[in-house]
Amino acid sequence: QVQLEESGGGLAQAGGSLRLSCVASQTTFVINAMGWYRQAPGKERELVAAISSAGRTTAADSVKGRFTISRDGRRNTIYLQMNDLQPEDTAVYYCTTGIMHGQYRPTGSWGQGTQVIVSA
C-alpha cells in the first residue's frame, strides 16, 4: 500500500495562503488519481480537490478560484496551493489515493492529516 505523508499545514490569517504537500512512497504516475480531503470539527469529511495521472483536476465549488491542486511526478508529490484562505477552511487536510472516472473516489491510502487553522 502506498504511504502518504502530508506537510505544510499551520496557522494563517484570513486572506492568506498556505501550500500543502503530499509525498507518496511510490511514483505517482502509477497511481490513477490523488486527492485532498478535509474534515472540520463536527463536520463530515469532504473532497477538496483531486488530480488524475493525466493531469485532469476537479475541485469543490467552495474552493474553486482559491485552491489549486498540482503534481510533480519526479518528486512523487502533489500540492494544494490555498489562497485567500477563510476561517471556514479550518480543518484537518488529508491526502488520498484513488481513481477518477468523472468523479474522484478514494480507494486506497490516506495520510495522517495536516492541520490548517485560519483566523479571522
Side-chain angles (χ1 to χ4, degrees):
Q1 192 174 15
V2 178
Q3 303 298 313
L4 303 172
E5 183 172 358
E6 304 102 332
S7 62
L11 300 174
Q13 292 186 333
S17 299
L18 287 172
R19 189 177 80 156
L20 305 183
S21 300
C22 173
V23 180
S25 60
Q26 298 179 10
T27 173
T28 57
F29 286 118
V30 300
I31 300 170
N32 180 274
M34 296 181 69
W36 289 97
Y37 275 76
R38 67 185 180 186
Q39 187 166 24
K43 295 187 177 181
E44 294 187 354
R45 194 171 292 185
E46 63 173 352
L47 176 66
V48 177
I51 186 167
S52 72
S53 58
R56 186 161 56 90
T57 63
T58 186
D61 288 342
S62 60
V63 306
K64 284 181 180 177
R66 301 188 299 123
F67 292 10
T68 301
I69 189 170
S70 62
R71 67 185 182 95
D72 183 342
R74 296 171 300 173
R75 295 182 172 84
N76 301 338
T77 301
I78 65 167
Y79 304 96
L80 185 68
Q81 178 66 45
M82 305 186 294
N83 298 329
D84 190 23
L85 284 161
Q86 300 300 316
E88 53 265 35
D89 297 317
T90 294
V92 178
Y93 285 71
Y94 299 90
C95 177
T96 72
T97 60
I99 58 174
M100 190 157 71
H101 300 302
Q103 295 184 339
Y104 177 78
R105 182 167 64 91
T107 59
S109 305
W110 289 75
Q112 80 287 351
T114 186
Q115 177 75 58
V116 171
I117 299 174
V118 184
S119 60

